Amino acid sequence: MQIALIYGGRSVEHDWSIAIYNNFARVLNNGRDTDISPAFIYYVSRGGDLLRLALDGNRLPTHDEFTDHAKRHPLTSLAHLLKSDGSFVFSLLQGQDGEDGQIQAIAQFHDIPGSFGDKTAAMLTSNKYLQGIIANYVCSELTPIPTVHICQNNLEAGIGEALRHLAGPCVLKPNTLGGSFLTECTNGLTEFSLRSYAERVARYDSSFLVQERIIGTEYTCGVLIDHEAVAALPVARINNPSGFLGYDRKTIKGGYSVDLHDLEDTLQSRIASISTHIAREFNIHTFGRLDFIVDQQRRIHFFELNLVPGLTDGAIFPKMLTEAGFDLCHLIRLAASNEIAQRQREETRKIETSSVRVPWR
């Protein structure tokens, strides 16, 4: 199976996408999976330049090696190049361009096979406010986190609502950015602090959330989709002495640790069940990771669903895969198998739809 990898993107998570690519290059270069043959690499720079490299049987280069040899193309040629190359595309794009529906829509419109998944699912999961509403609606076991969504173009009304309905410790977070970028914790809300935060976020996001701070323990659960079967990977507990897992904690070595063992069985089963339920409702393509916090009353609160969780060496999702007896190569093969099945279902749907005749009115 020939594959193409695409990474980078115009996102605050750009560097993480590069790190993910470097890890995939290492794994595939050292792996024994002769059925997976990387043929092309695509890279979208921060500024929106497109770089492409045909491997011709060579090993996968590191990112730095790639940029020295790749050819530059207009970003507008991406769909044409992916289509003409004819390889299954495994996307390592994160955030904007990768998880917000843009690349998914391009792939669906141009019929490009890949791990992209459905554009609607991507658009919903890139919006923390909307995905929270849906997750809490479809899963009655969850306890919603009191939240106010503030849009930059309606700042006055949003700030007023937050001050009326929320008090005490709160968490402020951009609505569409990943990696806990610009996520902050505050002991109390004031008009000044909300305006100041809105100003800091405005250059990156058009809206942000103000949420009641939940004191508890964070958990995360990966899911794998094999055709129509959704299975939970081992649940992980996040051990974070500071009690708040923000951007700084996530990006420094030793900022937190992960425990995949010695979890209480009932709680683990509840989180796994909730995760598979939400993943099924969101129509996830092959894999994802869901984040929760459990308070002292053992109530489970939903944080978010990540369509392309971190896949770097030492990241949480690869640890879950290893614990379940899988690896990144399994992820690629599973994504390709799911894409074939999805295309077969879509072809059947097109045939059946074409036979329908709607009378003129």
Side-chain angles (χ1 to χ4, degrees), residues 46-351:
R46 292 180 191 276
D49 295 322
L50 175 64
L51 280 73
R52 174 183 174 272
L53 180 66
L55 292 175
D56 297 324
N58 297 322
R59 62 182 289 278
L60 283 160
T62 65
H63 170 69
D64 291 338
E65 293 168 340
F66 165 79
T67 54
D68 289 337
H69 298 93
K71 292 183 179 179
R72 193 174 299 271
H73 300 268
L75 188 57
T76 52
S77 67
L78 176 61
H80 170 73
L81 290 169
L82 289 175
K83 183 70 174 178
S84 60
D85 284 343
S87 297
F88 176 81
V89 184
F90 196 89
S91 177
L92 307 177
L93 292 166
Q94 295 208 310
Q96 182 182 345
D97 293 341
E99 298 174 273
D100 61 356
Q102 294 192 72
I103 193 69
Q104 289 80 9
I106 289 172
Q108 285 183 237
F109 187 82
H110 293 277
D111 194 29
I112 298 167
S115 65
F116 307 108
D118 181 67
K119 64 181 183 298
T120 304
M123 287 186 287
L124 285 174
T125 56
S126 70
N127 187 311
K128 292 183 177 66
Y129 180 65
L130 291 181
Q131 67 162 297
I133 290 175
I134 295 171
N136 285 294
Y137 177 80
V138 302
C139 197
S140 59
E141 279 197 70
L142 291 170
T143 300
I145 301 174
T147 301
V148 173
H149 179 217
I150 300 181
C151 296
Q152 299 282 2
N153 60 5
N154 196 17
L155 203 56
E156 300 292 335
I159 289 176
E161 184 180 359
L163 293 174
R164 284 193 302 273
H165 296 291
L166 296 173
C170 287
V171 174
L172 311 178
K173 62 176 67 171
N175 188 36
T176 66
L177 302 184
S180 297
F181 184 71
L182 288 179
T183 298
E184 299 179 5
C185 184
T186 178
N187 289 328
L189 299 177
T190 65
E191 181 178 350
F192 175 80
S193 66
L194 289 172
R195 289 188 182 280
S196 177
Y197 184 76
E199 186 175 344
R200 292 196 298 277
V201 170
R203 60 182 294 194
Y204 303 103
D205 207 324
S206 61
S207 67
F208 62 94
L209 306 184
V210 185
Q211 295 183 315
E212 178 183 310
R213 182 179 179 185
I214 305 299
I215 304 300
T217 304
E218 293 190 35
Y219 293 84
T220 186
C221 181
V223 292
L224 288 182
I225 292 82
D226 187 348
H227 292 206
E228 296 181 2
V230 184
L233 292 172
V235 176
R237 180 176 61 235
I238 310 298
N239 302 313
N240 176 28
S242 72
F244 178 68
L245 190 59
Y247 180 79
D248 292 340
R249 281 279 167 183
K250 288 185 176 180
T251 54
I252 62 172
K253 188 174 182 179
Y256 67 97
S257 63
V258 176
D259 192 355
L260 288 161
H261 305 99
D262 301 323
L263 273 67
E264 193 265 308
D265 289 343
T266 303
L267 180 60
Q268 185 171 214
S269 297
R270 290 174 64 200
I271 292 174
S273 175
I274 290 170
S275 297
T276 56
H277 186 177
I278 294 173
R280 187 177 294 108
E281 291 289 340
F282 274 88
N283 191 27
I284 304 306
H285 186 275
T286 296
F287 66 105
R289 200 194 74 228
L290 298 95
D291 299 335
F292 307 89
I293 188 167
V294 180
D295 63 23
Q296 296 174 343
Q297 286 75 43
R298 295 173 59 83
R299 294 174 298 190
I300 301 175
H301 308 265
F302 174 77
F303 273 160
E304 63 180 295
L305 165 58
N306 299 281
L307 272 190
V308 187
L311 298 171
T312 56
D313 184 28
I316 299 174
F317 193 86
K319 290 180 179 179
M320 293 175 175
L321 280 177
T322 300
E323 187 71 16
F326 303 124
D327 58 15
L328 296 180
C329 292
H330 174 78
L331 211 58
I332 294 173
R333 287 192 295 269
L334 185 59
S337 176
N338 285 338
E339 182 69 3
I340 291 171
Q342 173 61 35
R343 284 171 170 271
Q344 291 172 342
R345 290 193 296 269
E346 185 64 16
E347 189 62 30
T348 300
R349 186 194 64 80
K350 288 179 180 177
I351 293 172

Side-chain angles (χ1 to χ4, degrees), residues 12-34:
V12 297
E13 299 169 78
H14 181 93
D15 289 339
W16 284 355
S17 184
I18 291 175
I20 291 173
Y21 165 76
N22 282 333
N23 187 41
F24 266 75
R26 179 186 62 80
V27 168
L28 291 172
N29 285 336
N30 297 331
R32 300 177 181 177
D33 291 272
T34 55

